[in-house]
Amino acid sequence: MRSTIFIPAFVLFAPTLLWLAGLMPAGLANIRPRLMAWMNVSAAWLTFTGAVAMAIGYFFNPVHAWVLYSTPLPGDIGRFSIGTYVNSVTIIMLLLVSFVGAIVSRYARNYLDGDPNQGRFHKWLSLTLASILTLIVSGNLLMFSLAWIATSHCLHELLMFYRERPAAVLSAHKKFIASRIGDASLLMAIFLIGSTLHTLEFNEIFARMAAMTGPLPLSLEAASLLVVLSAGLKSAQFPFHGWLIQVMEAPTPVSALLHAGIVNAGAFLVIRMSPIMSHSVTALTVLAIVGLLTLALASLVMLTQTSIKVSLAWSTTAQMGFMLLECGLGLYSLAMLHLVAHSLYKAHAFLASGSGVDGFRAPIIRYEPKGFQAGQLLASLVISSAMALAMAAAFGLSWQQQPALIAAGIIVAIAVGQLMLQSTSLHFNATALLRVIGLSAIVLLAYFTLHELFDRALAGSVLPLQHNAGAFRSALVPLTIAAFAGLMLMQQYIKASSSSLRERLYLHLYNGLYIDVYITRLLQRLWPAPV
């Protein structure tokens, strides 16, 4: 009985403090900016403390679903309830977002000190964090969607912090349009799910979908595709990725919170909806293709950027594509590991972006490849791939049982191979080669070990793939490996080649292949940005 009350109390404690801090009117917040900043930072750190206490109390126990208030909805689509749904996914996300939110809030207190709208900034930062945490702990789909919409609106106020900047207004407007389309898609998906399953509670949806046999109803297939659309728009996927690149006009703490937390909500939505998504081969295939296209474009464009923050933004777009690709392949635990690692890395990268310029000025040895090193590249790939396959075999993985996970290991091996190539190009001797091989083995061991830990942690919190049939679905894994190998060759070509073709390609990639230009023109005709 004690844990039944203890866990929901701490779950609700997390967002409630931040909601209370954000209720201060903007005018009063600007009159007392230091008080507002203190309230925001204190609430953020107390929220993280509560999340840690809740994680200790939960400690990967069975799922907890708790309802505070409930009312029936018309049309027999279920009930709207205010409650919590706590499983391993909730615990991990709550710890991650509350920690990043506390760090960003503390950083923002110094960053905006003296700004005339400092109080208003902290007010909306507090409300944005409260919306994200409410999204994470929601036990009802309709409550989830309301928090999803609130997150977009609160973030819009942060993106419009400098309303006098035309670039900030345009980028926020593009984000606003994408969010509204995503909100409508999610609400339609919820209606289809409720009208089919007659419930909107996550625990009941999980139980009914786990027991489902046979083909997925057409209404749930449509709902799965709408979830893919909503997740893709939230995570800035191709071709609506331009807004994420252009919101750099907002203060740096907003960029850190956006890239380290809010943009990950697309992957979180797919993971949370895994009971339905795992039954839909079509939706997961579409998700994987969109993610693969996005990461291919963004990873190449990122190499051509000269601005640190813009390059980090393209990096986020590529990482989001990779994360949704993992979800599309059914690797939910790997996507969750990716989400945690990317959030922590990207928050630090944005908050430290100002000192990145000093790093480029420092007198260090830089990697300057001389021509396209085909022989060394091939040797590095062979060694790293052999190490990855050996490590996978040591963990009991095989191509017949888990081809997608083996493919992910090979992708990591490709990345490790490029690191080996850079190291051996600087110091090519036996000692350096052995050192690089040893470090590569440690990286691969850490990768497979962390995946095993997350896989065990998420057991019972996500529903594995229920169907793996289809010729195209079977070809998706080798297609993904081929795409990453091609991207590696293109990256080496862009870095090392000096031909006129490379110069023309570099120019077009620098401009993002002009995709966002056409999207912006279309949106300006259909829904012009405010002046």
Side-chain angles (χ1 to χ4, degrees), residues 206-340:
F206 197 108
R208 296 181 187 184
M209 295 306 300
M212 179 176 287
T213 57
L216 193 67
L218 289 178
S219 58
L220 294 184
E221 282 281 5
S224 300
L225 290 171
L226 289 169
V227 167
V228 169
L229 176 60
S230 186
L233 290 169
K234 196 75 166 183
S235 295
Q237 295 299 283
F238 176 88
F240 302 103
H241 56 275
W243 65 264
L244 185 62
I245 314 302
Q246 297 166 356
V247 293
M248 297 298 104
E249 293 289 335
T252 295
V254 179
S255 300
L257 181 64
L258 171 62
H259 289 259
I262 299 175
V263 79
N264 294 310
F268 173 68
L269 171 63
V270 176
I271 293 172
R272 185 62 104 193
M273 299 296 290
S274 66
I276 296 175
M277 300 297 295
S278 293
H279 283 274
S280 178
V281 176
T282 303
L284 289 180
T285 303
V286 171
L287 183 67
I289 293 173
V290 171
L292 188 59
L293 285 174
T294 304
L295 77 89
L297 172 68
S299 61
L300 292 176
V301 175
M302 179 187 67
L303 298 177
T304 65
Q305 302 304 305
T306 55
S307 168
I308 293 178
K309 291 180 70 175
V310 172
S311 179
L312 287 174
W314 279 107
S315 168
T316 298
T317 305
Q319 295 294 337
M320 291 302 103
F322 195 3
M323 207 176 294
L324 293 183
L325 170 64
E326 292 165 338
C327 291
L329 295 174
L331 302 174
Y332 299 121
S333 56
L334 192 59
M336 180 58 73
L337 169 61
H338 191 172
L339 192 155
V340 172

Side-chain angles (χ1 to χ4, degrees), residues 469-507:
F472 188 81
R473 181 76 187 174
S474 302
L476 193 57
V477 171
L479 177 65
T480 301
I481 298 175
F484 272 88
L487 283 173
M488 178 203 61
L489 294 175
M490 284 290 295
Q491 290 173 354
Q492 293 298 322
Y493 176 77
I494 291 173
K495 289 179 180 179
S497 177
S498 58
S499 65
S500 59
L501 176 61
R502 181 261 185 191
E503 297 299 328
R504 291 194 296 270
L505 179 62
Y506 193 98
L507 174 63

Side-chain angles (χ1 to χ4, degrees), residues 121-175:
F121 178 89
H122 282 283
K123 166 189 170 66
W124 286 108
L125 179 60
S126 181
L127 291 175
T128 303
L129 288 171
S131 302
I132 303 171
L133 294 172
T134 304
L135 175 78
I136 292 170
V137 305
S138 296
N140 179 272
L141 259 178
L142 189 54
M143 179 183 172
F144 182 96
S145 67
L146 294 177
W148 179 276
I149 296 170
T151 301
S152 297
H153 280 285
C154 294
L155 175 63
H156 183 75
E157 292 295 328
L158 293 177
L159 296 179
M160 290 284 288
F161 184 71
Y162 296 122
R163 298 174 184 272
E164 68 278 4
R165 299 181 181 181
V169 174
L170 178 60
S171 60
H173 179 68
K174 291 165 64 176
K175 168 65 172 68

Side-chain angles (χ1 to χ4, degrees), residues 30-102:
N30 280 334
I31 294 174
R32 303 293 300 274
R34 294 184 181 275
L35 174 62
M36 186 67 236
W38 177 84
M39 290 174 58
N40 180 32
V41 174
S42 300
W45 280 111
L46 285 173
T47 296
F48 174 64
T49 304
V52 172
M54 191 259 313
I56 295 173
Y58 175 77
F59 201 69
F60 300 109
N61 286 327
V63 174
H64 288 263
W66 182 70
V67 176
L68 177 65
Y69 169 79
S70 179
T71 182
L73 295 172
D76 195 24
I77 63 172
R79 304 175 68 88
F80 168 69
S81 64
I82 299 175
T84 61
Y85 180 69
V86 182
N87 59 9
S88 300
V89 174
T90 309
I91 298 295
I92 294 171
M93 289 295 297
L94 198 61
L95 287 171
L96 174 67
V97 173
S98 60
F99 175 70
V100 172

